[in-house]
Amino acid sequence: MKIPLEKLTNHANSYAAANGLQVEVKRDKTDSKSVAYQCAPISLLPNAFPSSAFQDAKCLAPYFNLLVDRISKDGTFLHDTLGGEHGVVSKDDYTKKLLELYTDIYMKEDDNRPNFAKEADALGITRSDYMLNPIDGNIDNGYGLKQVELNTIAASFAGLAVNVAGLHKQLTERFDLELEEWLDTNRKAVMGQEYSAREDTEVGVPTNPALTNLPNAMNVAHENYISKYSPSIPTVVLFVVQEGETNTVDQRMLEFQLWNNHKVPVVRMSLTKAKSQLKMDEVTGALYISPDASGDGSVGSIPTKYEVSLVYFRAGYAPTDYPDGYDGIEWESRETIERSRATKCPNLGYHLAGTKKVQQELARHGVVENFFGKDEIGKIIDIENMREAFAGLYSLGEDVTDVDLAAVNEVITGKEDQYVLKPQREGGGYNYYGSNMAKKIGENISRNKDGTISLGEDLAEFILMQRLFPPKQSAVLLRAGLVEGNGPSESISELGCFGTIVRGSDGKIIHNEYSGFLLRTKFSNVDEGGVASGFATLSSPYLC
């Protein structure tokens, strides 16, 4: 199964340069302005993916958007799930801080202090990540979707995903004869040797609407803010970003489309700089940026100050984004933003709704149903398909059940390859697999006299997840524009499905839709999966 590797690689690198399919590279770590750009980590060609599973993921996006929104407003559920003397917050200081802020801002009543946060709208940009997994554990039954995780903060790569889909569409159409055998072989690896597409099946690389739909959702939130408050000064959208960020191209694409399509300006700022450059009006709750805060020229002519309509977090999802510590200036900035009347993406409730522990709790029978009325289930919400998408998720905290303990017992008795151990972290690189996982769990359990297992408190910050086994297919991965390894190798993929939702302060849903896709591909012998963390590459589905 040969392909014209050099020709395709040259074409891909040229396309990446011409279309901004790039990441930033720091030439000199001591000089933040000394930068260059190189081809983003990508799969040279798209990966076969069942058209029916892709359509299922698109249909589920609005349902999961609604679920996240309703969880975000249920403080009792969040406290019961994440709190407790021996719960997640007892071992995870980061989640503890988030929950404390959420409690103080959204659950406490203070007659002496206006609560502007409760008046604010909410914008959610979610990304539900799925893997294909054998139905009922048997590959002869085909593959179905299983949710790996639901991201509710800094759901990235929408911009680059659009461009990699454009690259793959061009390559597969322009070099169709030279790639026919490659595509057919991968299609059979996923769909079976006897597969033939029905006439109504969407085939090929689909159009990715992420660079239209995500900025559109931001504009909906921005316009609703303008309508509610009628600001007397210019308004901007604030992007909260990391110091030394290298995934700037992906972020700038959203910024530029927000301006090109809606004429809404953006200011970029870290949580560290926000301490001195953001102020909240204690009377109105308006969030202001001081005149000297647009150092990168994002806004153009500089008025006296700006009012912030929307705060979009592309940072703040990990403890490393708060270098001054839990009582430091970054957390003060986060609190100032949260207390304001500006729309947040995400607000603290949405952020907490995306924790691994919440997702594990949702997998318990009957929990999802509690967030929807009987009149919605089966009519507005497809609960059965949502439940079918859940992988096996098991608690290791104080709420552990016999079912959870049975999964733990399998891990320590030789079935460790059937599970993954996950902490409450985003970004990739934190999970435990195989013997490392079995060792981690084994060091934190004890056997009782009756043969039962007791879990140590240090496991409370983790959940145990069923390991998924997507089909393997050939891929060529590029890093910095160069072929990784020795050329084509076995790979597995993970589909991310973007969703956007805007909820008004009155509780009404203003906007809710599927908003694009991302496929990540890695060599099949690599456990972790983050692109930014260096484990996976950006790809796109070739529907079949």
Side-chain angles (χ1 to χ4, degrees), residues 1-173:
M1 188 175 59
K2 293 183 178 180
I3 57 172
L5 187 57
E6 183 176 356
K7 178 168 66 174
L8 294 175
T9 302
N10 289 339
H11 190 99
N13 276 297
S14 296
Y15 187 98
N19 290 276
L21 183 50
Q22 297 179 316
V23 291
E24 191 173 312
V25 181
K26 304 297 182 186
R27 289 175 172 166
D28 183 350
K29 293 183 179 179
T30 63
D31 182 5
S32 61
K33 295 182 179 180
S34 178
V35 299
Y37 295 89
Q38 64 185 24
C39 180
I42 61 171
S43 177
L44 179 60
L45 295 167
N47 302 94
F49 201 89
S51 181
S52 58
F54 181 75
Q55 297 303 323
D56 286 344
K58 289 173 60 175
C59 291
L60 286 172
Y63 304 152
F64 280 114
N65 288 342
L66 279 177
L67 180 60
V68 166
D69 181 68
R70 295 184 183 186
I71 292 170
S72 74
K73 297 181 290 183
D74 193 333
T76 300
F77 173 79
L78 289 172
H79 261 273
D80 289 347
T81 302
L82 298 169
E85 183 179 354
H86 303 295
V88 169
V89 299
S90 69
K91 296 299 176 183
D92 183 352
D93 290 336
Y94 174 70
T95 304
K96 179 181 180 181
K97 183 69 174 182
L98 291 173
L99 189 60
E100 286 176 346
L101 276 181
Y102 175 87
T103 301
D104 189 48
I105 296 173
Y106 292 98
M107 297 185 71
K108 290 182 179 178
E109 297 295 337
D110 185 352
D111 294 335
N112 297 318
R113 186 176 192 178
N115 196 320
F116 305 112
K118 288 185 177 180
E119 299 175 9
D121 299 339
L123 167 62
I125 294 178
T126 66
R127 197 189 69 222
S128 188
D129 293 339
Y130 303 95
M131 278 187 172
L132 296 171
N133 197 56
I135 297 173
D136 297 327
N138 187 343
I139 61 173
D140 292 335
N141 296 332
Y143 292 90
L145 284 180
K146 289 295 179 184
Q147 189 182 63
V148 177
E149 63 182 347
L150 179 58
N151 303 276
T152 61
I153 181 169
S156 60
F157 294 117
L160 294 184
V162 170
N163 281 354
V164 78
L167 165 65
H168 287 161
K169 189 174 184 65
Q170 184 174 118
L171 289 177
T172 53
E173 291 178 352

Side-chain angles (χ1 to χ4, degrees), residues 153-154 238 240 271 311-316 334 337-338 344-346:
I153 181 169
L238 174 64
V240 176
L271 284 170
V311 182
Y312 172 50
F313 286 95
R314 287 294 289 260
R334 182 76 186 266
I337 292 169
E338 197 72 30
K344 274 74 69 174
C345 178

Side-chain angles (χ1 to χ4, degrees), residues 198-483:
R198 300 184 320 190
E199 289 186 5
D200 60 345
T201 299
E202 182 180 1
V203 175
V205 180
T207 299
N208 192 340
L211 266 182
T212 298
N213 289 16
L214 267 65
N216 180 61
M218 292 180 181
N219 183 60
V220 169
H222 172 79
E223 290 293 333
N224 206 56
Y225 181 94
I226 300 289
S227 178
K228 282 174 63 176
Y229 297 113
S230 301
S232 59
I233 63 173
T235 53
V236 297
V237 169
L238 174 64
F239 280 22
V240 176
V241 298
Q242 293 173 331
E243 299 277 0
E245 173 69 71
T246 58
N247 192 27
T248 53
V249 175
D250 181 61
Q251 297 171 5
R252 290 288 193 176
M253 286 179 181
L254 295 175
E255 174 187 337
F256 298 156
Q257 287 297 98
L258 194 55
W259 177 256
N260 290 339
N261 296 346
H262 307 288
K263 295 299 180 282
V264 177
V266 166
V267 170
R268 295 164 57 83
M269 187 185 301
S270 69
L271 284 170
T272 304
K273 291 182 179 178
K275 173 59 181 174
S276 61
Q277 297 178 341
L278 285 183
K279 303 295 180 185
M280 186 186 77
D281 188 311
E282 296 291 343
V283 176
T284 66
L287 188 66
Y288 294 116
I289 299 178
S290 59
D292 60 346
S294 59
D296 63 2
S298 297
V299 177
S301 60
I302 302 175
T304 303
K305 61 182 178 182
Y306 315 112
E307 184 169 342
V308 178
S309 61
L310 165 67
V311 182
Y312 172 50
F313 286 95
R314 287 294 289 260
Y317 57 84
T320 50
D321 290 334
Y322 305 83
D324 201 33
Y326 286 103
D327 294 319
I329 59 175
E330 291 83 16
W331 281 109
E332 291 179 20
S333 298
R334 182 76 186 266
E335 182 173 358
T336 297
I337 292 169
E338 197 72 30
R339 288 192 182 278
S340 76
R341 73 186 190 187
T343 304
K344 274 74 69 174
C345 178
N347 62 29
L348 282 167
Y350 275 57
H351 190 167
L352 289 167
T355 57
K356 304 294 190 298
K357 180 61 182 176
V358 165
Q359 292 170 38
Q360 174 261 304
E361 184 65 18
L362 292 173
R364 294 196 191 280
H365 182 72
V367 175
V368 170
E369 289 83 345
N370 291 336
F371 289 98
F372 299 106
K374 293 181 179 179
D375 58 328
E376 295 178 299
I377 296 176
K379 298 177 182 178
I380 301 174
I381 302 298
D382 191 342
I383 290 289
E384 292 304 316
N385 276 346
M386 291 180 76
R387 284 222 153 275
E388 185 64 29
F390 285 133
L393 296 165
Y394 308 96
S395 173
L396 300 178
E398 59 184 358
D399 59 341
V400 66
T401 67
D402 289 343
V403 173
D404 302 323
L405 290 174
V408 172
N409 192 61
E410 288 198 327
V411 170
I412 61 175
T413 56
K415 293 186 177 180
E416 65 270 18
D417 290 339
Q418 302 296 312
Y419 296 91
V420 181
L421 187 64
K422 291 188 169 186
Q424 311 300 313
R425 288 290 177 271
E426 303 297 335
Y430 301 103
N431 299 334
Y432 289 83
Y433 297 84
S435 59
N436 289 333
M437 175 183 58
K439 180 181 178 183
K440 176 72 173 178
I441 292 179
E443 292 172 345
N444 288 279
I445 65 170
S446 58
R447 287 279 185 184
N448 303 318
K449 290 182 179 180
D450 61 359
T452 58
I453 298 172
S454 292
L455 304 182
E457 294 180 5
D458 287 347
L459 290 177
E461 68 170 301
F462 295 88
I463 67 164
L464 194 62
M465 179 180 168
Q466 167 195 2
R467 188 160 189 178
L468 306 176
F469 296 94
K472 297 176 182 179
Q473 53 186 298
S474 292
V476 175
L477 307 187
L478 302 184
R479 291 195 184 277
L482 302 176
V483 175

